[in-house]
Amino acid sequence: MITRSDEPGRLLAELEAVRAQVRTTQRALLRTWRAEVVLGPFATSAANLAAYVALRRLDLTELQPRLAALGLSSLGRCEGHVLASLDAVIDALRRMCRRRVLQPDTSRAAAMNDAPQLLKQATDRLLGAPPYPRRTRFMVTLPETAAHDARFVAALVEHGMDCARINAAHDHAEVWAAMAKQVRRAAARHGRAVKILVDLPGPKLRTGPLAPGAAVLHVRVKRDEKGGLLECGRIVLDGSGNAGCAAKRLPGQAEMPGRVSLPAQWVARLRTTDTVAFRDLRGRRRLLRVVKRIDAQQVEVETDRGAYIAPGVVLERRSRAGARERAACGAYDPPPARFRVFTGERLLLSPIADAGRPELRRSDGRISAPAVIGCIEPSVFEHLEAGHAVKIDDGKITAQVERIDRAGAWLRIVHAPPRGATIGADKGLNFPDTRLPAQGLDQRDQNALRFAAGEADIVGYSFVQSGAEMDALHASLAALTRRRIGIIAKIETAAALEHLPGIIVHGASHGPFGVMIARGDLAVEIGYLRLAEVQEELLWLCEAARVPVIWATQVLEGLIKRGAPTRAEITDAATAERAECIMLNKGPFLPEALDTLTNLVGRMSRHQSKKTARFSPLPW
C-alpha cells in the first residue's frame, strides 16, 4: 500500500527519470544541429530549445498536478530555463525526502534570470528597442498610399508604429522605395527609430486567369440596412482611348473605379458644374455629377443610384448654361469573369493556368458542364491524390479531390456558404493534405530581395518550410550586401510547423531572427479549430529558443477597416500582448488601432508576462 508520505519519493524517482530522458534527447538533437550549422552565439539558446523539445515529447499531464499538490513548480513555465527548472524541483524533492542535496549550482538561478534578458536582447537586435514603457512592438502593413501620403505615414509613426511592413507581393520597387523614404523621413521628424521589413512574395499558389466577363460596367452604391445612402458610386470618364481595367488607381483610393471610354473632345469640355444624364441597360434614368478633373483626358463622376453601362450607351452632357451634347460609350475592357459554386457541385482544377471558364448551366439552373479553374503551378498535380482536401480563396471554399486524370483534378465542393461562393482569378489555393516540395526563391522573390538588400532592416521569408531554405536565404543576402539584415520566418504551412525547431536553429544561428505566426494561411492549412492551440505552442517553443514572435493577421481588423472593433477582436489583441510584436494590416483607421493597442498592451502587461500571471492590486 502506498501512503501519502511516499509521494515525494515517488515523484523524485519519476522526475529524475524524466531529466535523464531529456538530457539524452537534448544531446542527440544538438549533435544533429551542430552537424548542419555552426550555432555560434545561439549555442546556449539552442541547448535550451533542445531540452524543451525533449521535455515536450514526454507526457507530463499526470505528473504536474502531483507536483503542485506539494507546493512545487509544475514546470508549466519552464520554457526559458528547462534544465534549471527540473533541477530546482528535484532538489526540493530531495529535501522533502531528507536525502543529500546535490552540490548547489549557483548557475541555476542565473539561468532562470538570464532567460528573459536573452529574449529581450534578441528582440532588440531584430526589432529595435521599444518606446518606454511598452514592451510589445507594433508592426504596420503599409498601403500603397503610404508611398505619397507623408501625413498618413507621420500619423502611423506618431501613434506608435515601430516597424513598417512593405509587402513585396504587391506593387513594385519604385513604390517600395517611396514607402521606405516616407517612413525614414517621418521617423527622423519624430526622433524615433522605425525598422523597415520587406516581406518576400513567396510561392503563394493561386487560381489562374479566367476568360473576360461580360463587357458591362456595374456602378455600385453602398446603402445602410434602411436603404440610406452611405457611399456614391464613382467611375472615370476617359478620353484617352485606353479605358479599362488596367488604368491607374487614383491617389488615395482603396479601389480602382470603373472606367468608360468616350470621345476625347467630349470629355475635355466637361466642367465640375456639369451633369451627365443617360438611360442604363435596364432603361432606367440615371444622373452623373462631375466630381473633379483628374487630367486633360480623365474626369471623375459620381451617382447616388446604381447603374449598368456598356458600349453604345449614350451619355448627355448638361451644362449649367443649358448646353447639351451627346456621346456614345466606347469599348470597355471587362474584368475577368467570376462564377459561383455550391456545396455538392463538381469543379475541375486544371494544370493549364489560363484554362479557366465558368460552368455551363441550363435554364433550370442545373449544371450541364462543370466550371474549370487553372492552377498557376502545374507541379502540384504530381503530388495531389484522391481524397486530398483543396481550400480555395483562403478557405472560404473547401473541396475534395475525387479523381485525377489528364484534364486535372476533379473536385467535389464539400463546403461553401449556403448562398454559394464566387471563384475568380488570382484566388489563394491551399493543399493541407498534400506535401508539396519546397520551391525556394523564385524570380519575384529575388527581385524583392535585391531591393531589401539596399533598403530593408528585416526580410520576411514567406512560406518557408525547412532550415535548408533559411540557409539559402542567408546565402542570397550575403551575396547582395554586407549589412546585417534580420530575418523573420513566416510560419504558414503544416510543413513549417513540423520543421519549426530546425527553421529556428538555422535562422537564429546566422544573426537577428524572429518567427511570425501568419495566422491567415496557417489556419487554412491546419484547420481553424487547431489554430488556437498551435499559436500557443509556437509562443512556447520560441520562448524556449529565446527568439521573438510576431503575432499577425486580422488583429483589430474591424477597427482598422470600419472604425469599430468587435469584442472578440479586443480579447484577441489582449492575448497577442504575450508576443514580442503585433502586426496590423492596412486600413483607413490604423492610427486609431495603434492607440487602442497601446492602451490594451499597457493594461495587460500589468497582469501577465508571457505565461506568468502578475498579481498587481485589484480594485476591490
Side-chain angles (χ1 to χ4, degrees):
M1 177 178 176
I2 300 171
T3 65
R4 186 170 182 175
S5 60
D6 296 325
E7 182 68 352
R10 288 173 57 85
L11 281 170
L12 176 60
E14 292 175 42
L15 209 57
E16 286 180 331
V18 165
R19 192 190 189 283
Q21 285 181 272
V22 167
R23 285 289 285 147
T24 300
T25 305
Q26 180 199 39
R27 291 190 185 104
L29 284 170
L30 285 172
R31 280 196 299 272
T32 301
W33 293 344
R34 288 193 183 102
E36 295 174 348
V37 68
V38 177
L39 296 176
F42 184 63
T44 302
S45 295
N48 188 70
L49 173 62
Y52 183 73
V53 171
L55 182 70
R56 294 308 306 270
R57 288 180 180 177
L58 306 175
D59 186 352
L60 305 181
T61 53
E62 186 272 336
L63 189 68
Q64 288 179 291
R66 292 164 57 202
L67 289 170
L70 294 178
L72 300 173
S73 166
S74 64
L75 303 173
R77 296 187 297 274
C78 73
E79 283 80 6
H81 34 75
V82 176
L83 290 178
S85 296
L86 280 170
D87 289 344
V89 178
I90 287 171
D91 273 358
L93 286 169
R94 281 181 169 273
R95 290 187 177 93
M96 287 182 176
C97 296
R98 300 181 184 277
R99 297 189 189 180
R100 182 175 63 86
V101 177
L102 301 177
Q103 185 67 31
D105 186 359
T106 54
S107 66
R108 184 186 307 154
M112 292 186 175
N113 292 328
D114 288 349
Q117 189 62 26
L118 288 170
L119 176 56
K120 179 184 182 301
Q121 290 171 0
T123 306
D124 289 349
R125 282 195 299 272
L126 180 71
L127 298 167
Y132 182 83
R134 172 160 52 86
R135 177 190 72 87
T136 309
R137 284 74 166 173
F138 298 159
M139 179 185 294
V140 175
T141 302
L142 297 180
E144 185 192 354
T145 53
H148 54 76
D149 192 340
R151 187 174 298 178
F152 175 72
V153 176
L156 297 181
V157 174
E158 182 181 355
H159 287 261
M161 177 175 70
D162 303 298
C163 180
R165 174 177 175 254
I166 298 173
N167 186 358
H170 304 290
D171 307 313
H172 49 81
E174 185 179 338
V175 175
W176 306 334
M179 289 179 179
K181 187 175 182 180
Q182 294 285 9
V183 171
R184 290 198 183 92
R185 281 181 176 175
R189 202 174 299 127
H190 286 84
R192 296 194 55 214
V194 178
K195 298 284 186 178
I196 294 175
L197 163 71
V198 172
D199 232 343
L200 303 184
K204 174 75 171 178
L205 298 174
R206 295 187 179 276
T207 58
L210 280 165
V216 175
L217 173 61
H218 183 191
V219 186
R220 303 173 188 271
V221 301
K222 293 183 180 179
R223 298 187 182 277
D224 61 22
E225 62 275 9
K226 295 181 180 180
L229 182 67
L230 291 175
E231 186 178 324
C232 290
R234 295 198 173 199
I235 62 173
V236 173
L237 307 183
D238 190 335
S240 68
N242 297 313
C245 294
K248 277 192 173 182
R249 184 184 300 176
L250 300 177
Q253 284 188 312
E255 295 181 5
M256 183 176 66
R259 308 176 76 82
V260 175
S261 181
L262 287 150
Q265 297 201 0
W266 187 90
V267 173
R269 284 191 284 271
L270 283 172
R271 300 290 180 267
T272 53
T273 54
D274 293 348
T275 57
V276 177
F278 67 100
R279 286 183 182 270
D280 77 349
L281 292 180
R282 301 170 298 174
R284 299 183 180 183
R285 295 179 182 274
R286 293 293 183 259
L287 196 67
L288 302 170
R289 294 178 296 276
V290 177
V291 177
K292 65 179 177 181
R293 175 166 291 281
I294 302 168
D295 57 31
Q297 297 176 319
Q298 300 176 89
V299 172
E300 186 176 357
V301 296
E302 69 177 13
T303 179
D304 56 10
R305 303 181 71 184
Y308 292 84
I309 303 175
V313 168
V314 176
L315 306 185
E316 183 177 72
R317 180 179 72 88
R318 297 178 177 178
S319 73
R320 184 173 290 180
R324 299 192 177 196
E325 181 183 7
R326 293 188 169 195
C329 295
Y332 168 62
D333 186 8
R338 297 187 301 170
F339 58 89
R340 188 171 291 273
V341 293
F342 297 85
T343 299
E345 292 183 346
R346 296 180 78 207
L347 174 68
L348 175 62
L349 184 66
S350 171
I352 303 172
D354 59 357
R357 62 166 174 78
E359 75 287 333
L360 299 177
R361 293 184 184 268
R362 297 196 297 260
S363 58
D364 60 2
R366 294 187 178 184
I367 292 177
S368 58
V372 181
I373 190 73
C375 175
I376 63 172
E377 181 49 63
S379 65
V380 166
F381 295 84
E382 299 173 14
H383 308 278
L384 268 180
E385 298 177 10
H388 283 191
V390 178
K391 302 289 185 78
I392 305 171
D393 197 4
D394 297 329
K396 294 183 178 68
I397 303 165
T398 301
Q400 190 174 50
V401 179
E402 288 191 329
R403 75 174 196 275
I404 298 175
D405 58 24
R406 290 183 179 180
W410 292 91
L411 311 179
R412 178 74 65 180
I413 307 298
V414 296
H415 174 75
R419 296 184 180 181
T422 57
I423 298 179
D426 202 37
K427 296 299 181 183
L429 290 171
N430 292 84
F431 303 89
D433 300 333
T434 311
R435 286 308 170 93
L436 302 174
Q439 297 182 36
L441 301 174
D442 63 16
Q443 189 57 53
R444 287 202 312 160
D445 293 320
Q446 295 287 358
N447 293 340
L449 201 59
R450 278 192 289 274
F451 170 81
E455 298 284 349
D457 303 297
I458 311 168
V459 169
Y461 198 162
S462 301
F463 300 98
V464 62
Q465 297 192 82
S466 69
E469 290 179 273
M470 297 302 307
D471 293 339
L473 176 62
H474 281 289
S476 296
L477 269 175
L480 292 169
T481 180
R482 292 185 178 182
R483 290 194 309 120
R484 172 154 286 196
I485 296 177
I487 302 294
I488 290 175
K490 297 175 63 181
I491 306 305
E492 40 202 332
T493 66
L497 277 180
E498 182 180 335
H499 301 126
L500 184 55
I503 290 171
I504 291 173
V505 169
H506 284 255
S509 296
H510 288 284
F513 175 78
V515 167
M516 179 182 287
I517 310 177
R519 300 186 298 169
D521 277 288
L522 186 59
V524 176
E525 281 274 321
I526 66 174
Y528 291 95
L529 293 178
R530 283 198 63 207
L531 180 62
E533 62 175 322
V534 165
Q535 65 189 21
E536 294 296 312
E537 292 166 1
L538 283 165
L539 283 170
W540 303 337
L541 193 72
C542 290
E543 185 178 359
R546 292 99 175 235
V547 298
V549 173
I550 296 91
W551 184 286
T553 313
Q554 291 188 317
V555 178
L556 296 177
E557 190 82 351
L559 174 55
I560 293 169
K561 295 287 195 296
R562 299 179 295 277
T566 65
R567 297 175 183 87
E569 286 174 359
I570 293 294
T571 304
D572 176 64
T575 303
E577 186 272 339
R578 291 176 300 154
E580 282 64 48
C581 181
I582 302 172
M583 190 191 93
L584 300 178
N585 286 328
K586 51 193 173 184
F589 298 97
L590 269 171
E592 292 85 347
L594 286 165
D595 287 343
T596 299
L597 206 52
T598 298
N599 190 312
L600 271 174
V601 301
R603 291 172 181 273
M604 293 307 298
S605 63
R606 293 177 56 245
H607 303 298
Q608 66 183 33
S609 175
K610 304 298 282 186
K611 284 172 68 179
T612 303
R614 287 176 165 174
F615 279 16
S616 59
L618 292 177
W620 58 83

